[in-house]
Amino acid sequence: MNKPFTFGVELEMMVAFVVEGQKKPDLKETRTVVFASRNEPMDLEIESRYASEFYPAFYKSRIIAEFKRIIGEAGFPVASTETDTSGWAVVGDTSLNHPTDTEMETEGYSWCGIEIKTPALSFTPQSLQAVKDVCALILKHFKTLQNSTTGLHVHIGHGKSCFSTHDVTKIMAFVYAFEPQLSSLHPIHRYSHTYGYTLRHTSNFSEGFQRRYGELPSAFMAITKILTTIKPTMSATRGELAYLVNSGACGKNGNYNFNGLEDLGVHAEVPTIEFRQHEGTMDGELIVQWVQLLVGMLKFIENEEYASFTGFLFETVGKEKWQKVGDGKDAEREASMGPTLADGEFTVIDLLRYIGLNEQADYYKDKVYKHDIPPGMITLLKKISSDIGWDYQKELGEGVGMRTEPETDDQLRKLFEDFQVARLAAKMADDDWTFAEDPRALWPVFTTDSDFLKDSDKSGASDMNQC
């Protein structure tokens, strides 16, 4: 039986205000920009007393109080604390700022970063309408803007229940496989940034691979690693999965935050997946379409039979000829090999139609970006070591020159690594296929003490569908 979905939305915005003693820049402005004192304790942050953000810190409590008043008087429950998920919470956000380095127009106002958090909402038409109504309410009463520092974060879950470990694995594999397609729904400044790094470039798995081999892992290799990760306990499995897809130690560094699912989920304060890539917006219809897309995507992932699901993933990513790197050479690659899969043969619109989200496919069909990743946005890590030591590489590096065909050795090394991935994929289908790793046979001579792509421990596999 399908578990009902719940969701929550975090709306980030800059709010305009007028400093006491300053005249309104626009006398025709009817929205609230003057926030009078309500005798609350001054919300001054110590580090802001003598800094340029002094005014936002000083006026933040006044702005929050007025937001709460407007929301409450409109009949919406207001949260009693910042962590109260039964009502609409309004908090300050010091990660937001305006003007930014590239967006300097202030219109004569000062600006304060504010975040509105919805309650934990059931995924129903009524809840979606409530999000639209509050957005319209805020736009009616306050002067706000979104810029490159603001985002729209969406949490999806099953109430206080958790996603099963089995489904967590499928979800991670899906978003890794189709990250290029999903990213094409967002502008380039949300592709990879301080609070939202990409899986393919900056996840722990990808960075570990880059350090070993000096290149990005293929999507085929990454989803194989995710789908075959099994530890002795479900808790250990979920922890390992979270580590693989996180950027560094914290899920909130990435576009997909699995922190709430790292343990059994049911023990987490918020057992949800957080989708962090969307740019900031107060467009109620856009927000609702994005929430419907995310819930619909997760429904497909949970409900699709495993063999069909993995077959779809591997068949699709197997068509990838190349992936964008952002090193200034992507245009050359496209000229040589054609567009990437996400830009050509299988776009996000194709993906949405495949998983049955035709309404969202129609809505987004003229809202798709083709990204040219600027140099400097993403930095590939240089190869620093390899847990597999290939003698021919060492000999070349030392100038020994014992091998006469290093190009052939390099081709065989890559084939060897592909076979390792294929062996893991075969195990997923309970196939005993393997290949001879004996370095004295076909392969160039190597030594290893690594389990980087070693077969996962199968202990605990029978528990994978339990929560």
Side-chain angles (χ1 to χ4, degrees):
M1 182 178 179
N2 294 334
K3 292 185 288 187
F5 281 90
T6 52
F7 74 97
V9 176
E10 299 171 2
L11 306 166
E12 296 179 344
M13 69 199 76
M14 300 304 302
V15 179
F17 66 94
V18 176
V19 176
E20 291 179 356
Q22 174 188 346
K23 292 183 179 180
K24 291 175 62 174
D26 182 1
L27 296 179
K28 296 180 181 179
E29 178 60 69
T30 59
R31 293 167 294 184
T32 300
V33 291
V34 176
F35 296 88
S37 173
R38 296 176 180 273
N39 297 319
E40 303 92 348
M42 287 192 303
D43 186 13
L44 287 176
E45 301 170 5
I46 294 175
E47 66 271 21
S48 300
R49 287 182 184 273
Y50 305 104
S52 60
E53 61 264 39
F54 174 85
Y55 285 145
F58 186 87
Y59 285 91
K60 181 172 65 177
S61 63
R62 300 183 185 184
I63 297 171
I64 290 174
E66 186 63 11
F67 267 60
K68 288 182 175 180
R69 183 185 71 81
I70 292 296
I71 292 172
E73 290 183 357
F76 297 96
V78 176
S80 57
T81 66
E82 292 187 8
T83 58
D84 178 9
T85 60
S86 65
W88 294 75
V90 185
V91 301
D93 192 331
T94 56
S95 71
L96 312 178
N97 58 82
H98 190 76
T100 66
D101 292 340
T102 58
E103 299 155 317
M104 301 303 295
E105 179 57 55
T106 65
E107 301 179 57
Y109 294 96
S110 297
W111 296 86
C112 180
I114 293 293
E115 179 179 332
I116 298 177
K117 301 179 181 181
T118 72
L121 299 168
S122 299
F123 182 67
T124 64
Q126 294 77 16
S127 295
L128 296 173
Q129 185 60 49
V131 173
K132 289 184 178 181
D133 291 344
V134 170
C135 286
L137 186 70
I138 297 303
L139 292 175
K140 176 182 177 181
H141 287 277
F142 304 99
K143 181 177 178 63
T144 67
L145 65 76
Q146 277 68 40
N147 61 19
S148 60
T149 70
T150 60
L152 167 69
H153 302 161
V154 179
H155 291 259
I156 308 291
H158 290 300
K160 293 188 178 298
S161 301
C162 66
F163 291 90
S164 72
T165 305
H166 178 73
D167 287 338
V168 169
T169 304
K170 291 171 66 181
I171 292 166
M172 289 179 175
F174 187 96
V175 296
Y176 198 110
F178 298 114
E179 184 180 42
Q181 284 83 353
L182 295 171
S183 291
S184 70
L185 296 177
H186 311 292
I188 188 63
H189 73 269
R190 301 297 293 184
Y191 185 86
S192 188
H193 58 97
T194 303
Y195 300 105
Y197 292 113
T198 67
L199 287 170
R200 290 200 176 194
H201 294 85
T202 58
S203 64
N204 290 324
F205 174 79
S206 178
E207 290 198 340
F209 189 93
Q210 291 170 51
R211 290 189 181 97
R212 287 174 172 86
Y213 301 106
E215 60 188 20
L216 289 177
S218 67
F220 193 103
M221 178 177 290
I223 64 176
T224 298
K225 179 64 177 177
I226 292 169
L227 292 171
T228 57
T229 293
I230 302 175
K231 295 297 181 181
T233 67
M234 288 184 293
S235 178
T237 298
R238 296 166 83 95
E240 177 66 14
L241 288 167
Y243 173 79
L244 290 175
V245 299
N246 280 352
S247 294
C250 180
K252 291 181 77 68
N253 292 334
N255 285 325
Y256 304 91
N257 177 14
F258 292 93
N259 280 356
L261 308 181
E262 185 170 343
D263 200 347
L264 289 179
V266 70
H267 300 304
E269 182 178 349
V270 183
T272 63
I273 303 169
E274 183 186 14
F275 297 86
R276 300 173 51 82
Q277 192 170 14
H278 203 290
E279 66 177 334
T281 181
M282 291 298 285
D283 182 332
E285 179 62 24
L286 178 57
I287 295 168
V288 165
Q289 288 289 342
W290 180 236
V291 171
Q292 290 176 316
L293 183 156
L294 295 175
V295 172
M297 181 179 76
L298 294 179
K299 281 183 179 179
F300 168 83
I301 295 169
E302 289 187 330
N303 294 336
E304 188 75 356
E305 191 271 328
Y306 190 75
S308 175
F309 174 81
T310 54
F312 166 58
L313 257 60
F314 284 116
E315 179 182 358
T316 305
V317 301
K319 298 176 182 178
E320 278 197 349
K321 298 178 182 177
W322 65 286
Q323 52 187 326
K324 294 180 181 178
V325 178
D327 59 354
K329 299 179 181 179
D330 287 338
E332 296 177 22
R333 297 184 183 97
E334 183 167 356
S336 173
M337 293 179 280
T340 62
L341 187 66
D343 289 337
E345 185 178 351
F346 196 75
T347 68
V348 67
I349 304 304
D350 297 319
L351 175 64
L352 294 177
R353 295 205 185 282
Y354 183 90
I355 65 178
L357 299 182
N358 290 312
E359 177 185 343
Q360 283 65 51
D362 292 338
Y363 178 80
Y364 283 103
K365 64 183 179 182
D366 59 351
K367 300 177 176 64
V368 178
Y369 295 87
K370 181 182 178 182
H371 292 311
D372 296 317
I373 306 173
M377 174 174 280
I378 296 168
T379 302
L380 289 186
L381 302 180
K382 294 182 178 180
K383 178 180 177 180
I384 59 175
S385 65
S386 175
D387 291 320
I388 295 182
W390 296 90
D391 284 12
Y392 81 92
Q393 292 178 330
K394 181 179 179 181
E395 292 165 0
L396 287 173
E398 295 175 349
V400 176
M402 293 176 62
R403 300 285 296 194
T404 59
E405 298 180 336
E407 295 84 1
T408 301
D409 287 338
D410 209 45
Q411 292 172 347
L412 288 172
R413 172 187 64 81
K414 292 181 178 180
L415 184 61
F416 178 91
E417 292 164 357
D418 288 342
F419 276 158
Q420 286 185 308
V421 175
R423 181 182 60 190
L424 293 181
K427 284 186 175 295
M428 290 163 43
D430 294 324
D431 192 325
D432 292 330
W433 180 88
T434 187
F435 73 103
E437 295 188 26
D438 186 350
R440 295 169 298 179
L442 173 65
W443 314 112
V445 177
F446 67 88
T447 57
T448 180
D449 58 1
S450 171
D451 64 349
F452 184 65
L453 285 175
K454 189 177 179 180
D455 296 349
S456 298
D457 185 351
K458 284 195 172 184
S459 61
S462 62
D463 296 329
M464 283 290 286
N465 286 304
Q466 301 177 20
C467 181

